[in-house]
Amino acid sequence: MNAINTQRNKTAIGINAMEKRTKEGAGNTAVGKSSQSNSTAGNYNTSVGIEALELVTGDNNTVIGAFSGDTLTGGSNNILIGYNVETDANTTSNQ
């Protein structure tokens, strides 16, 4: 995780977890190698697994499973559980 200036209450565990989190965001938790690694915004996202929620910029997403939600970008309020689970589209919300 790089220096974070405006984020509050974040947790990153794993190599490159939240690596590019340099902009706003609060309450995010990333566990696993590259979890939320390319995500630069979004609040209250939780990801557990290798590359889970890798690109997310939406809010309130919960993902458990390796590679799950790794194509989700602007979607919010999603829950994904399982290996490589994705939403219908990369900006889908409420799934």
Side-chain angles (χ1 to χ4, degrees), residues 37-53:
S37 64
N38 289 308
S39 177
T40 57
N43 298 296
Y44 306 105
N45 293 298
T46 300
S47 56
V48 178
I50 295 172
E51 296 181 17
L53 281 181

Side-chain angles (χ1 to χ4, degrees), residues 34-78:
S34 299
S35 185
Q36 296 185 46
S37 64
N38 289 308
S39 177
T40 57
N43 298 296
Y44 306 105
N45 293 298
T46 300
S47 56
V48 178
I50 295 172
E51 296 181 17
L53 281 181
E54 188 176 21
L55 303 170
V56 72
T57 58
D59 301 320
N60 308 313
N61 294 291
T62 300
V63 172
I64 301 171
F67 309 106
S68 291
D70 63 343
T71 61
L72 185 64
T73 54
S76 296
N77 306 312
N78 294 295

